[in-house]
Amino acid sequence: MTVRQATHAGSWYTDDREQLDHELQQWLDSVPEQVTEVNPVGDSCTVPVKGIRAIIGPHAGFSYSGANAAYGYKCIDTQNIKRVFLLGPSHHAYLKTCALSQCTEYSTPLGNIRVDQELVRELQDKGEWRLMSTRVDQDEHSLEMHLPYIYKVFESRIEQISLVPIMVGNLAFATEQKYGKLLAPYLADPENLFIISSDFCHWGSRFGYTFYQSTDDSQPCHLSARDGRPNGVPIWESIQRLDSAGMDVITQVDHAMFRQYLDDTSNTICGNHPIGVLLAAVNHLYPKYAQRQDGPRLRFVKYDQSSKVRSPKDSSVSYASAYLWLPH
């Protein structure tokens, strides 16, 4: 038995079981029963959302993104779920493919979650996968930061739940399509839930990204730390509009449109490849219905920024949570 240790507990989030359980419960309890969706603006949903197949959620330290992530997890209807596919980007190991875990369990301060080794072997037989070493597995936070919430929302039946962790590399568009097609049958299965790990815009000179657009129709530019405050809208508002445009594209459930948005803006959405794989899987299942009213429905329920950037010397990371519903 190889257990992936909770290597970020005690730094990115508390390693105290009771405190962690209390924090997660507080964040979940703070989500209203009727959630106003942030993209598209104006709609609302009652949580949990019956029959959802996937959520998108952030993976920063819980002091920054724990409250945001609760909105995605509160959307989950856990009743019929038996298996959780967890897709996260690779921040440290360079990959041009996807990688599977060799561990038998993932640990959290709340308890352990069993890895579905049989399904991992099944995936290996179907496509081109690398295997994560234990060190690579434990170094990656994009997967680990979702584990406490997974344990918490499935706590009453955690022994019946299995996990399929997938590290998603720096994939070409065609490779995202390939993995999307491979994973599409699993996404179609109502007993499976997909969790897509992603933060949104990483803004600031320390991230090498200082996109700024003073108005919707003005020419974008990149600010320098030597610049003063811009004369147009505050920088945080420009970031919000940039992220909002990205969320709008994602809600169209169009893989090619999302890639075009990334090519046009270079927005530093660190989980853009896991999101791309999800959109490719949906497009494979519903090639003619992606933008029809009776087709797949992807909605964002929460958006936050770690800070309100006003000076080019500042920095921030954006967080967004969403759910995906598929027609029967």
Side-chain angles (χ1 to χ4, degrees), residues 58-326:
H59 54 239
F62 279 176
S63 62
Y64 293 102
S65 68
N68 185 295
Y71 276 73
Y73 278 92
K74 199 64 178 282
C75 289
I76 298 172
D77 178 13
T78 61
Q79 188 173 2
N80 298 315
I81 303 300
K82 295 182 178 178
R83 185 183 295 113
V84 176
F85 286 75
L86 176 58
L87 280 66
S90 174
H91 287 84
H92 307 291
Y94 183 75
L95 296 169
K96 289 187 176 181
T97 59
C98 292
L100 300 168
S101 178
Q102 300 185 75
C103 295
T104 55
E105 292 182 355
Y106 273 33
S107 71
T108 82
L110 303 177
N112 290 6
I113 306 172
R114 177 175 60 86
V115 173
D116 193 328
Q117 293 177 283
E118 183 178 345
L119 198 134
V120 167
R121 288 191 291 269
E122 183 179 308
L123 289 175
Q124 282 184 274
D125 292 339
K126 290 184 176 181
E128 182 183 341
W129 303 85
R130 289 183 60 181
L131 293 175
M132 289 182 267
S133 67
T134 303
R135 179 178 178 180
V136 166
D137 203 337
Q138 293 185 157
D139 282 348
E140 183 53 59
H141 66 274
S142 73
L143 301 174
E144 180 177 338
M145 296 309 296
H146 283 271
L147 300 176
Y149 262 120
I150 293 172
Y151 191 99
K152 180 63 179 175
V153 298
F154 288 102
E155 189 170 24
S156 64
R157 40 195 299 268
I158 195 66
E159 297 300 326
Q160 301 158 30
I161 297 298
S162 62
L163 184 70
V164 183
I166 299 175
M167 180 183 286
V168 180
N170 185 23
L171 308 183
F173 179 77
T175 310
E176 289 178 356
Q177 289 182 312
K178 181 181 75 172
Y179 283 106
K181 182 179 179 180
L182 192 154
L183 292 171
Y186 301 100
L187 181 64
D189 186 342
E191 293 186 341
N192 293 332
L193 173 74
F194 277 63
I195 295 175
I196 308 301
S197 177
S198 181
D199 295 335
F200 271 66
C201 183
H202 297 61
W203 198 96
S205 57
R206 71 190 184 100
F207 298 117
Y209 188 75
T210 55
F211 178 101
Y212 178 75
Q213 191 171 18
S214 59
T215 64
D216 286 335
D217 55 359
S218 65
Q219 187 69 24
C221 66
H222 288 272
L223 302 177
S224 166
R226 296 186 299 273
D227 297 332
R229 293 187 180 186
N231 294 324
V233 300
I235 296 171
W236 67 263
E237 190 173 323
S238 171
I239 297 168
Q240 183 172 316
R241 291 194 312 208
L242 172 69
D243 281 330
S244 181
M247 289 188 287
D248 184 59
V249 169
I250 293 169
T251 63
Q252 300 301 309
V253 201
D254 188 315
H255 183 211
M257 191 184 296
F258 179 54
R259 178 50 67 99
Q260 187 61 55
Y261 163 82
L262 294 171
D263 290 343
D264 291 343
T265 66
S266 299
N267 192 0
T268 46
I269 302 173
C270 59
N272 73 82
H273 294 297
I275 293 172
V277 171
L278 176 69
L279 297 180
V282 177
N283 288 173
H284 181 76
L285 292 172
Y286 302 93
K288 298 179 181 179
Y289 299 96
Q291 296 180 40
R292 278 176 43 168
Q293 225 169 6
D294 59 345
R297 186 170 71 246
L298 202 161
R299 298 290 185 266
F300 282 86
V301 291
K302 187 65 172 169
Y303 174 79
D304 295 298
Q305 295 173 352
S306 62
S307 62
K308 298 291 188 184
V309 173
R310 299 184 184 278
S311 165
K313 296 179 181 179
D314 298 336
S315 64
S316 75
V317 180
S318 305
Y319 313 116
S321 289
Y323 71 85
L324 169 70
W325 176 89
L326 298 180

